[in-house]
């Protein structure tokens, strides 16, 4: 069935290092992808999105890469800060369909 | 400020006592949705609405009802709550082609 998953359930990085969070998706018909950040006790917060006609998109300290050949999505966070500690979800949307969320990766930033 | 507002944030209730969780958005979004989030299961969609008076079941609709009489409001109704509905609930809204904006969540405990 359709699913969105993550390679690593937890990721621990040193403050100042770059973080890479990976996500595999299974529906080749998906044309829109989003990364969300969820801090403890809060709702998911939109970070960055990318459409299937792109393979890279940059925001402030974040970059999303899309590899449609292997159905892989990644989120790169530059110069990771303690405030980046959270659970990160990827989500995919098949054409005309609704968002499908992955389980999430917990990012822990060590000072 | 553009936002999705849920109330209450926390609720403890007893089995069988009807309750309503309210959700309101101020972004004139057509699409609204309810999710529940449980450890190890991620975000699961309960119900969604494409526009006023248009609602449909998500992945886990049993035991829930919704209504969409106005564009901005999308209340979640539990007619007869049971302990297995103890969960963290999120309302979300979006316009066509964009990502979701989530509310801050409602933590429901049914005893």
């Amino acid at each position: 069935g359709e699913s969105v998953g993550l390679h690593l359930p937890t990721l621990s990085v040193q403050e100042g290092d770059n973080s890479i969070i990976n996500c595999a998706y299974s529906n080749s018909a998906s044309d829109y992808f989003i990364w969300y950040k969820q801090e403890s006790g809060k709702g998911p917060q939109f970070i960055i999105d990318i459409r299937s006609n792109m393979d890279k998109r940059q925001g402030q300290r974040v970059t999303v890469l899309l590899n449609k050949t292997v159905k892989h999505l990644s989120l790169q966070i530059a110069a990771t800060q303690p405030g980046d500690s959270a659970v990160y979800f990827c989500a995919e949307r098949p054409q005309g369909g609704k968002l499908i969320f992955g389980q999430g990766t917990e990012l822990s930033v060590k000072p | 400020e553009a936002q999705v507002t849920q109330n209450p944030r926390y609720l403890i209730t007893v089995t069988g006592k009807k309750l309503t969780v309210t959700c309101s958005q101020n972004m004139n979004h057509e699409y609204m949705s309810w999710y529940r989030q449980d450890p190890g299961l991620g975000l699961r969609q309960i119900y969604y609405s494409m526009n006023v008076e248009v609602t449909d079941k998500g992945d886990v609709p049993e035991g829930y009802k919704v209504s969409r009489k106005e564009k901005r409001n999308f209340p979640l109704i539990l007619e007869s709550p049971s302990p297995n509905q103890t969960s963290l609930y999120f309302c979300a809204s979006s316009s066509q082609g964009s990502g979701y904006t989530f509310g801050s969540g409602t933590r429901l405990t049914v005893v």
Side-chain angles (χ1 to χ4, degrees), chain B:
Chain B
E1 181 187 353
Q3 60 185 359
V4 175
T5 303
Q6 293 178 230
N7 280 297
R9 288 294 310 276
Y10 302 92
L11 179 60
I12 301 174
T13 190
V14 296
T15 299
K17 185 177 181 181
K18 180 180 179 179
L19 67 91
T20 299
V21 184
T22 64
C23 175
S24 179
Q25 50 94 3
N26 61 0
M27 296 165 281
N28 201 37
H29 284 166
E30 301 86 18
Y31 184 93
M32 297 186 75
S33 182
W34 276 102
Y35 291 86
R36 60 178 289 174
Q37 186 176 42
D38 303 287
L41 297 176
L43 285 162
R44 293 182 293 169
Q45 191 178 50
I46 303 170
Y47 267 95
Y48 65 97
S49 170
M50 300 294 287
N51 214 321
V52 176
E53 301 291 359
V54 181
T55 63
D56 210 344
K57 296 178 180 178
D59 301 315
V60 288
E62 292 77 21
Y64 304 94
K65 286 174 58 178
V66 293
S67 68
R68 188 89 183 273
K69 294 184 172 61
E70 305 164 282
K71 196 171 188 178
R72 63 183 291 125
N73 295 323
F74 190 46
L76 180 69
I77 303 156
L78 284 72
E79 294 273 4
S80 183
S82 62
N84 64 12
Q85 292 178 299
T86 292
S87 187
L88 180 59
Y89 291 86
F90 289 103
C91 180
S93 73
S94 74
S95 58
Q96 192 173 8
S98 73
Y100 296 179
T101 300
F102 282 85
S104 298
T106 296
R107 186 166 291 281
L108 172 66
T109 302
V110 183
V111 298

Side-chain angles (χ1 to χ4, degrees), chain A residues 32 34 36 38 41-46 49 51 89 93 97-99 101-103, chain B residues 9 31 35 37 40-43 45 48 58-59 90 97-100 102-104:
Chain A
Y32 183 55
I34 308 175
Y36 285 92
Q38 187 176 19
K42 297 184 179 180
Q45 178 185 4
F46 174 94
D49 60 0
R51 299 193 185 276
F89 295 93
R93 190 186 66 200
K98 55 189 179 183
L99 280 182
F101 292 90
Q103 292 294 313
Chain B
R9 288 294 310 276
Y31 184 93
Y35 291 86
Q37 186 176 42
L41 297 176
L43 285 162
Q45 191 178 50
Y48 65 97
D59 301 315
F90 289 103
S98 73
Y100 296 179
F102 282 85
S104 298

Side-chain angles (χ1 to χ4, degrees), chain A residues 38-56:
Chain A
Q38 187 176 19
E39 297 175 270
S40 181
K42 297 184 179 180
Q45 178 185 4
F46 174 94
I47 301 173
I48 192 168
D49 60 0
I50 188 168
R51 299 193 185 276
S52 58
N53 60 351
M54 303 172 70
D55 53 21
K56 179 179 180 179

Side-chain angles (χ1 to χ4, degrees), chain A residues 13-29:
Chain A
V13 301
Q14 202 71 36
E15 181 179 358
D17 288 351
N18 296 334
S19 303
I20 300 176
I21 301 171
N22 296 303
C23 177
Y25 66 94
S26 59
N27 194 327
S28 57

